[in-house]
Amino acid sequence: MGLTHRPPLDRRFWELKGYHFMDLVSPCLNLGTAFFVLKHLEERWAAVGYSLSRVDAVLKEVSRRCKVTLARRPAPAGQPLPPEEEARLAGRILSGRILLLEEVGRALAENGVRVTAELADLLHYLYLQGECELRPAVGFDAQGVPKCNRCGQGDKLYRSSCGACGSTHCYVCEGCLELGEARTCRALYARPGAERAGMFPCRTVSPVLPFSLTRAQEEAALQARTFVEEGKCPRCLIWAACGAGKTEVAYGALAAALSRGKEVLYTCPRRETTKEIYRRLQQAFPGVEMTILHGESGSKYAPAQLVAATTHQVLRCYRRFDLIILDEVDAFPLAGDGRLYYGLERSLRPGGQILYMTATPPPELAAQARRRRLPVIYLPARPHGYPLPEPQIILARGLRRPMGRLPRPVVECLRLSLNGDGASLLIFVPAVDLVAQVVDWLLECREFEGLGDWVRGCHAALPERETVLAAFRRGEFPVMVTTTLLERGITLPRLNVMVLFAHHRRIFDQNTLVQIAGRAGRTSSFPQGKVWLVADRITPEMAEACRIIRSFNRLAFQRGYLRAVERRQ
Ligand SMILES: [Zn+2]
Ligand SMILES: [Zn+2]
């Protein structure tokens, strides 16, 4: 029993196998519905035992359950099968991927493979041979609830009338729309990664670095290497302090996998980070076949042993990688996004391993780590060997809005930053509309009147935000007010940070606070950057963020990763 878009092809295939009788179940259904009906038929027949005399009764029963009227008719005569050689080539290109029909077409073109047969027929022939899996891009679960088979989720589907299949119940998935339209009547073709034997050579691969690792990094890198070499645990977490250099630690795991001829994926949620990582990987592992995948990358289907990709692209991979390194596991847009975890698991070969890396693990991973279900490799110290700046909490009772006089302690912090440290200051606020208000509030402060244009605001929706950011980086003004937009990704040599209205628990959760605090003290020229949390009260999130940072420093001290002098201060 199976599905087909061209019955004569199936007829011929089975005739060659010695079957001379074939029935079609009509009417012609769209793929999603056909798949659903097929599952029910298979299930029913498995239960009652297949026999010709029961066919009509079972069809009737399944018709009732699936709400379509099914009837039997004889299959048309067979037609010649597509060329074997072309099917083999298509199969090789599809290997390790899950793709829509037009994507398979692009993959063939990109690899210079030309075929004469119709692509859908070629892929169907592979399906008949058991060489590729076929499923509707949007299918239904056993209860008939629609679910996307590419990104695995069901809440971002909308129903439409479809010109292609004529159904009024053709569902489209909005969750993965940027990868092309997954809908009920379109097929996804999937094929597990090819047998690896001999595909990539086994040789000793060691990363080439322009600097030497610190002891903290070296020890963590060795643990990462052992994780891969032993292959005992399926998952592991590198929990690193912000700015501690976790990528270099992951190289330990990478080198171990590459040395064994395994296929590796390094994935991050954001395109810019992915490009940056790709550049670094190229330098660290020259001679390794490598490719990059993101929304705008030109070539998407080239073979490679090491792939750097945005996490979205992972939704196109199928049982391909032995090791997946997932960087910034907590970062937008990955956090709380079930579909990307789904894609990751699916792109792993059976028995493959995932290495998560982050400074701020999402709650579910942190909980697993606490319960010792997930092994953790800690990297608690920055390369410069100074402790992480611990946040100071500044209580300003009744501080709810930017109005009235600037609280005295805030003025003190500003003065210390501007006059004492000569450092730039980033002030984080919990809402976009507060940015301009806080800028005005600060400018009203008499104390700094002579400084001119010393504070400006910046947020995601600001048209000139790139210009403002660049000017701040160049040091043209010392204080910038912003939203959590800049929580990561900004590194300035001399920087203090302040979180204003830090009691906003929804915006400033513990991970956001740890990331913000992680902006300070990143360079050895100014490792003592300050972190001020200005709040109406101490929230559990603030307390937890401080606890996490303190525990990193304690661990780094116990392991002897910190400069002795600095610790005594
Ligand atoms: Zn989807
Ligand atoms: Zn349709």
Side-chain angles (χ1 to χ4, degrees):
M1 229 182 318
L3 297 165
T4 183
H5 70 292
R6 202 181 303 288
L9 228 159
D10 298 60
R11 177 98 200 226
R12 181 77 186 130
F13 180 83
W14 291 113
E15 272 169 1
L16 289 174
K17 298 250 172 218
Y19 296 87
H20 293 288
F21 177 77
M22 182 170 145
D23 260 357
L24 280 182
V25 171
S26 64
C28 185
L29 302 166
N30 79 9
L31 183 59
T33 316
F35 201 82
F36 180 68
V37 169
L38 176 67
K39 285 268 169 257
H40 277 272
L41 280 173
E42 282 174 341
E43 201 178 278
R44 201 55 212 137
W45 260 310
V48 300
Y50 184 79
S51 90
L52 269 181
S53 61
R54 289 205 182 102
V55 169
D56 290 311
V58 166
L59 283 183
K60 219 176 195 171
E61 199 186 322
V62 172
S63 298
R64 212 173 43 240
R65 260 205 287 166
C66 298
K67 301 191 180 74
V68 278
T69 314
L70 303 173
R72 259 192 316 158
R73 62 184 166 90
Q79 73 173 43
L81 297 172
E84 193 71 43
E85 171 66 11
E86 294 189 0
R88 211 177 48 77
L89 281 171
R92 206 174 68 204
I93 301 293
L94 186 61
S95 172
R97 302 196 163 95
I98 176 163
L99 301 175
L100 296 168
L101 183 68
E102 68 268 23
E103 289 175 323
V104 180
R106 279 202 291 274
L108 291 177
E110 202 185 279
N111 287 277
V113 175
R114 236 176 258 143
V115 291
T116 53
E118 220 173 282
L119 195 51
D121 289 356
L122 269 185
L123 292 167
H124 190 67
Y125 184 36
L126 284 174
Y127 161 72
L128 286 171
Q129 291 172 313
E131 291 293 325
C132 107
E133 297 164 33
L134 164 69
R135 60 191 77 164
V138 175
F140 301 94
D141 67 11
Q143 279 71 47
V145 180
K147 178 185 162 216
C148 177
N149 277 323
R150 181 164 56 192
C151 67
Q153 55 88 55
D155 54 352
K156 283 191 185 136
L157 299 168
Y158 65 89
R159 201 174 74 185
S160 68
S161 302
C162 173
C165 68
S167 161
T168 51
H169 284 57
C170 197
Y171 289 87
V172 177
C173 179
E174 265 192 335
C176 56
L177 203 55
E178 65 272 40
L179 295 175
E181 207 176 61
R183 58 160 64 235
T184 311
C185 60
R186 301 177 101 181
L188 277 175
Y189 298 95
R191 189 165 196 236
E195 265 309 310
R196 199 180 41 243
M199 195 159 57
F200 297 104
C202 292
R203 74 281 196 210
T204 308
V205 176
S206 339
V208 180
L209 294 174
F211 48 82
S212 51
L213 296 183
T214 61
R215 199 161 62 76
Q217 287 175 318
E218 228 164 56
E219 291 179 7
L222 184 67
Q223 289 179 54
R225 172 182 280 275
T226 310
F227 160 69
V228 171
E229 283 177 349
E230 289 185 344
K232 280 193 296 204
C233 310
R235 310 280 176 272
C236 181
L237 168 67
I238 294 183
W239 195 339
C242 287
K246 57 183 159 43
T247 309
E248 284 75 13
V249 169
Y251 288 174
L254 258 165
L258 293 173
S259 299
R260 286 169 162 69
K262 294 182 168 188
E263 283 174 87
V264 184
L265 171 72
Y266 195 118
T267 177
C268 341
R270 288 171 303 172
R271 186 182 306 159
E272 289 315 311
T273 336
T274 308
K275 286 185 189 168
E276 164 70 15
I277 287 288
Y278 179 60
R279 208 177 46 72
R280 284 163 69 181
L281 289 174
Q282 278 181 316
Q283 284 165 356
F285 296 100
V288 171
E289 217 179 332
M290 216 177 281
T291 184
I292 179 166
L293 300 177
H294 56 74
E296 289 163 5
S297 59
S299 121
K300 286 209 167 59
Y301 307 102
Q305 189 182 7
L306 175 56
V307 178
T310 53
T311 323
H312 275 97
Q313 299 295 325
V314 173
L315 293 176
R316 287 202 180 103
C317 298
Y318 192 66
R319 299 194 191 160
R320 173 168 176 193
F321 300 105
D322 305 283
L323 172 66
I324 295 180
I325 295 171
L326 173 55
D327 203 349
E328 295 190 17
V329 11
D330 54 306
F332 173 86
L334 192 72
D337 195 337
R339 74 202 162 118
L340 296 177
Y341 280 102
Y342 174 88
L344 279 177
E345 296 290 336
R346 191 175 57 191
S347 60
L348 210 57
R349 266 184 215 274
Q353 294 177 296
I354 300 185
L355 185 60
Y356 303 106
M357 297 207 295
T358 179
T360 45
E364 64 272 30
L365 282 188
Q368 286 178 32
R370 261 197 310 278
R371 288 190 216 114
R372 299 186 187 279
R373 295 232 188 94
L374 179 69
V376 184
I377 298 169
Y378 289 101
L379 180 62
R382 289 174 166 171
H384 58 46
Y386 294 90
L388 302 166
E390 291 174 14
Q392 295 171 38
I393 293 175
I394 295 174
L395 281 182
R397 299 273 178 213
L399 177 73
R400 297 286 162 89
R401 269 174 297 161
M403 59 182 293
R405 288 219 354 237
L406 211 53
R408 201 65 225 161
V410 174
V411 177
E412 290 304 326
C413 295
L414 283 168
R415 190 163 355 144
L416 179 64
S417 201
L418 294 171
N419 306 334
D421 290 340
S424 299
L425 174 67
L426 262 178
I427 300 181
F428 291 89
V429 295
V432 168
D433 56 346
L434 281 174
V435 171
Q437 293 176 34
V438 168
V439 168
D440 291 342
W441 197 35
L442 294 174
L443 286 173
E444 276 164 24
C445 180
R446 293 248 174 85
E447 185 127 0
F448 306 105
E449 252 169 6
L451 288 177
D453 190 16
W454 60 280
V455 50
R456 295 176 69 180
C458 183
H459 55 81
L462 195 73
E464 67 272 23
R465 89 190 145 105
E466 292 302 326
T467 330
V468 177
L469 246 169
F472 182 64
R473 280 182 201 275
R474 284 194 301 269
E476 287 173 17
F477 60 96
V479 179
M480 188 160 81
V481 181
T482 186
T483 56
T484 49
L485 158 77
L486 288 184
E487 147 194 337
R488 306 152 194 266
I490 190 166
T491 296
L492 286 176
R494 287 184 87 79
L495 185 73
N496 293 329
V497 292
M498 177 186 285
V499 180
L500 212 46
F501 314 110
H503 50 264
H504 277 253
R505 303 178 60 179
R506 224 161 35 81
I507 303 291
F508 297 122
D509 61 25
Q510 63 206 47
N511 281 351
T512 301
L513 291 173
V514 169
Q515 286 288 349
I516 288 176
R519 297 303 105 206
R522 292 172 85 94
T523 55
S524 55
S525 57
F526 190 63
Q528 71 275 32
K530 303 189 180 49
V531 181
W532 295 295
L533 307 181
V534 184
D536 177 36
R537 65 205 139 89
I538 300 177
T539 63
E541 288 77 10
M542 289 160 63
E544 181 61 12
C546 296
R547 193 195 63 76
I548 291 171
I549 294 171
R550 270 198 305 272
S551 69
F552 265 131
N553 282 341
R554 201 165 43 237
L555 185 63
F557 177 68
Q558 284 164 357
R559 294 192 180 170
Y561 295 153
L562 299 182
R563 287 164 191 257
V565 194
E566 298 311 317
R567 188 67 198 179
R568 265 186 251 120
Q569 278 186 351

